[in-house]
Amino acid sequence: YHCQKFISLSLWFSVCPLKPFSVVLCTGQMTDLIFIEREVVQSLKEYIQAEESKLAAVKRWANKLEVLTHASTSDPEGFLAHPVNAYKLMKRLNTEWSELESLVLNDPSHGFISNISVHRQYFPDEEDEKGAAKALMRLQDTYNLDSESFSKGKLPGVRYNAFLTVDDCFDMGKTAYNEQDYYHAVLWMQQALRQMDAGEEAKASKADILDYLSYSVYQMGDLQRATELTRRLVSIDPGHQRAGGNLRYFERLLAKEIREVARNKQDPAKEKPIQLGTYERPRDYLPEREIYEALCRGEGVKMTPKRRSRLFCRYQDGNRNPRLLLKPMKEEDEWDNPHIVRYLEALSNEEIEKIKELAKPRLARATVRDPKTGVLTTAHYRVSKSAWLEGDEDPVIDRVNQRIEDVTGLTVDTAELLQVANYGVGGQYEPHFDFSRKDEPDAFKSLGTGNRVATYLNYMSDVEAGGATVFPDFGAVIWPRKGTAVFWYNLFRSGEGDYRTRHAACPVLVGSKWVSNKWIHERGQEFRRPCGLTEVD
């Protein structure tokens, strides 16, 4: 399978996203922040240079006056007996000291303050910082990474080293703690404590770290460890406001727990260092969370030898479409049932750059269609930036739309606009359906083009790590490959939804993921994809 090279036809036959910034980590806009920060740093250096020049001038004044006052105070009467010295003393005290006063009062910081004030409107705020922290935790969960992996920069596919300090880990823990996410609070406070115990300097105090950590551990139901951590806190800061009361409370509960263990003749739990897996992550709203995240890691893929034997590659000429006769599209089977195909060389580098160029100025928080009202709205389970491009905006968009129609055989006249999406680090779209279900009949009513019959997805970038498209129902994983596209039907020929096509965009671990979607609708396909005779035909 995966005929990667279509060398010749004979060989083939023998083988075969507002404010200027938001909590969505859009790489395109975060790149702008890097250059903004560079400008602010340059302004800061200019301010430092101006302050140093000012200080050097004041030092010259001080050195000159020190020499004069040393001579004048050693023999005041003799010094003033010279008329020139008497004149220069009057002049210095009346004029030159005023000049020195003006020099000292001159504030070179005005330019820097003005510069940073102009750029501050583009700076992320507290909510943005919280969103970035949650993105790291999302990656931590999805890819089974412990806090040390992030702290020491041990990530797959990275080109640059990046480390987290004690204070960084402490702030991550506080973000989780303030959200009552004690699971992640424990992991990050423990990492902060580990690095501090190793001798790393920090603004945060060990008492503060132990305070947050001990209570978070208690909330995770680990009374013995919470007691030990609180005892350590009390030994460091005997007068701590809460520690003493917490310790007495924990010790009473622990004594009761020990008595119950002895009564039931159970072996006491052995104390082990806190690490990933020490505590069970609380379950959330997503029923297939474990399957989804395992697939994102490349685990649990249900590709058997028998299924692989049913996958082929071919040249697709769109049923002898004139535009594909001389250069047919290279098509590979990604999955047999439901049938998912990948098209190779679906977009050129020049087309990708033009699409990104058109989309970047309009990128906004990606939306989903409210199933009850049909109105587009943001959702916590879709974290990306997107823009919509019309066919008449540029010949490239019109050409891409025509290519989609040619290769799929479906009309795009009733399709939605080409949606361009950028998923930065942590960007994702949790398991969802592209089509509307029976309990949401008004989802696409305003469009008047019926349901989404098929999805055509262009990959416009390679991704260093993460970012796969996964199908939890049947265990398929499709990895991004720049310039390729994947296509599948969301509806059976009968018009009934194929619930197996529930899919997700995995979080981007390292890199940036660019895609463009074309959702093709039912209207206009009556003779291109005739109805089937059975419900699941």
Side-chain angles (χ1 to χ4, degrees):
Y1 166 62
H2 277 324
C3 308
Q4 298 291 347
K5 297 181 180 179
F6 291 70
I7 300 173
S8 70
L9 198 59
S10 60
L11 176 61
W12 169 70
F13 274 118
S14 65
V15 173
C16 289
L18 169 83
K19 56 173 276 189
F21 191 74
S22 81
V23 295
V24 181
L25 305 182
C26 166
T27 306
Q29 291 178 329
M30 289 190 73
T31 301
D32 295 338
L33 287 180
I34 288 176
F35 290 103
I36 288 173
E37 186 175 41
R38 185 181 68 177
E39 288 183 31
V40 175
V41 169
Q42 182 59 37
S43 178
L44 177 62
K45 291 174 69 176
E46 291 170 359
Y47 161 64
I48 292 171
Q49 187 175 14
E51 285 282 17
E52 288 175 341
S53 298
K54 169 184 168 180
L55 187 59
V58 172
K59 282 182 177 179
R60 287 194 296 271
W61 272 92
N63 292 335
K64 182 181 74 171
L65 292 170
E66 185 179 26
V67 172
L68 284 171
T69 54
H70 179 74
S72 63
T73 54
S74 61
D75 182 12
E77 290 188 10
F79 182 83
L80 291 173
H82 198 299
V84 172
N85 285 340
Y87 164 72
K88 292 189 73 175
L89 176 63
M90 297 299 105
K91 180 185 176 186
R92 273 199 312 278
L93 294 174
N94 181 55
T95 305
E96 294 180 10
W97 275 97
S98 296
E99 291 175 4
L100 178 58
E101 183 181 11
S102 298
L103 175 62
V104 172
L105 290 174
N106 178 45
D107 188 358
S109 67
H110 290 309
F112 170 67
I113 296 300
S114 175
N115 194 310
I116 200 170
S117 297
V118 168
H119 288 102
R120 189 176 294 280
Q121 61 178 313
Y122 301 104
F123 284 14
D125 57 22
E126 187 176 345
E127 281 300 306
D128 301 320
E129 182 182 346
K130 185 193 300 183
K134 287 181 176 180
L136 284 187
M137 296 174 203
R138 186 159 57 242
L139 293 172
Q140 185 176 23
D141 294 340
T142 303
Y143 298 105
N144 270 349
L145 298 169
D146 58 25
S147 301
E148 188 173 13
S149 297
F150 283 103
S151 180
K152 304 304 180 187
K154 300 174 184 176
L155 299 179
V158 294
R159 288 176 290 171
Y160 303 97
N161 287 329
F163 305 98
L164 293 175
T165 65
V166 170
D167 291 312
D168 292 332
C169 295
F170 178 68
D171 289 337
M172 286 284 294
K174 277 205 304 184
T175 297
Y177 183 92
N178 292 334
E179 296 284 310
Q180 296 185 336
D181 178 4
Y182 301 111
Y183 172 79
H184 288 106
V186 167
L187 293 177
W188 286 100
M189 288 299 174
Q190 175 66 24
Q191 182 61 29
L193 183 62
R194 185 181 296 120
Q195 291 180 212
M196 182 171 278
D197 285 343
E200 186 178 323
E201 297 289 330
K203 289 187 294 184
S205 69
K206 187 171 290 189
D208 284 341
I209 296 173
L210 286 167
D211 188 19
Y212 280 100
L213 180 57
S214 59
Y215 188 75
S216 298
V217 166
Y218 165 69
Q219 288 291 336
M220 292 304 295
D222 191 344
L223 190 56
Q224 182 175 345
R225 199 187 306 266
T227 305
E228 290 302 319
L229 289 167
T230 309
R231 284 173 181 159
R232 186 176 173 187
L233 171 57
V234 171
S235 69
I236 293 174
D237 185 2
H240 193 280
Q241 185 177 3
R242 292 178 301 278
N246 284 352
L247 181 57
R248 289 189 293 274
Y249 177 67
F250 292 163
E251 285 178 335
R252 284 198 304 271
L253 292 179
L254 184 60
K256 181 181 178 182
E257 187 177 278
I258 291 172
R259 287 194 300 271
E260 290 178 357
V261 168
R263 188 181 305 120
N264 296 326
K265 297 182 180 180
Q266 297 174 345
D267 293 329
K270 294 181 179 179
E271 192 76 9
K272 295 180 181 179
I274 296 175
Q275 55 190 359
L276 196 68
T278 297
Y279 304 117
E280 184 178 347
R281 177 158 51 115
R283 295 189 177 276
D284 63 9
Y285 54 88
L286 196 62
E288 67 264 67
R289 171 73 65 188
E290 291 183 8
I291 298 173
Y292 154 58
E293 292 182 348
L295 289 171
C296 289
R297 297 189 296 270
E299 302 168 6
V301 182
K302 299 176 182 177
M303 177 58 71
T304 62
K306 183 178 180 181
R307 168 165 276 139
R308 191 182 299 275
S309 69
R310 296 197 291 263
L311 304 180
F312 300 95
C313 55
R314 62 193 68 82
Y315 284 101
Q316 174 62 264
D317 64 5
N319 197 22
R320 299 191 60 77
N321 186 294
R323 281 179 288 270
L324 295 176
L325 281 177
L326 293 179
K327 189 180 179 182
M329 189 77 82
K330 299 168 185 177
E331 181 182 284
E332 296 178 347
D333 290 332
E334 283 282 349
W335 207 260
D336 59 337
N337 189 24
H339 195 204
I340 303 173
V341 298
R342 187 194 293 263
Y343 299 112
L344 278 63
E345 299 174 13
L347 287 177
S348 67
N349 287 332
E350 292 75 18
E351 288 170 332
I352 288 172
E353 291 308 311
K354 172 54 72 173
I355 293 171
K356 288 165 66 174
E357 176 189 325
L358 293 170
K360 278 181 179 178
R362 309 183 210 173
L363 287 173
R365 177 71 186 264
T367 55
V368 297
R369 201 169 290 276
D370 187 291
K372 292 185 172 59
T373 65
V375 176
L376 291 173
T377 182
T378 59
H380 64 87
Y381 52 83
R382 188 176 193 186
V383 184
S384 66
K385 288 287 186 76
S386 67
W388 300 83
L389 302 180
E390 297 197 36
D392 57 6
E393 290 187 48
D394 191 276
V396 166
I397 307 302
D398 187 53
R399 187 162 68 243
V400 169
N401 286 339
Q402 185 62 59
R403 187 178 302 143
I404 294 171
E405 179 167 313
D406 291 344
V407 74
T408 64
L410 302 174
T411 181
V412 296
D413 290 344
T414 56
E416 296 174 47
L417 302 180
L418 189 70
Q419 187 203 50
V420 182
N422 178 213
Y423 298 82
V425 173
Q428 65 165 4
Y429 193 177
E430 290 183 348
H432 62 282
F433 299 101
D434 279 354
F435 64 92
S436 66
R437 276 75 67 211
K438 291 181 178 180
D439 59 345
E440 44 186 41
D442 297 332
F444 303 114
K445 186 177 180 179
S446 61
L447 300 179
T449 53
N451 210 341
R452 286 173 173 170
V453 67
T455 296
Y456 188 100
L457 174 62
N458 286 303
Y459 291 116
M460 302 198 301
S461 66
D462 293 313
V463 181
E464 285 88 337
T469 304
V470 299
F471 294 78
D473 185 82
F474 50 91
V477 177
I478 299 175
W479 298 101
R481 283 157 55 191
K482 185 178 180 180
T484 69
V486 292
F487 173 79
W488 67 86
Y489 283 102
N490 298 307
L491 306 180
F492 292 108
R493 286 182 177 273
S494 63
E496 293 295 323
D498 187 346
Y499 283 79
R500 298 172 299 172
T501 61
R502 182 171 167 86
H503 60 285
C506 296
V508 175
L509 178 57
V510 179
S512 174
K513 178 182 174 184
W514 284 88
V515 298
S516 55
N517 298 288
K518 195 71 174 178
W519 284 299
I520 303 171
H521 282 245
E522 291 178 287
R523 299 295 177 264
Q525 319 301 345
E526 292 82 359
F527 298 104
R528 294 172 181 254
R529 192 190 188 226
C531 291
L533 298 178
T534 62
E535 185 176 347
V536 294
D537 183 17

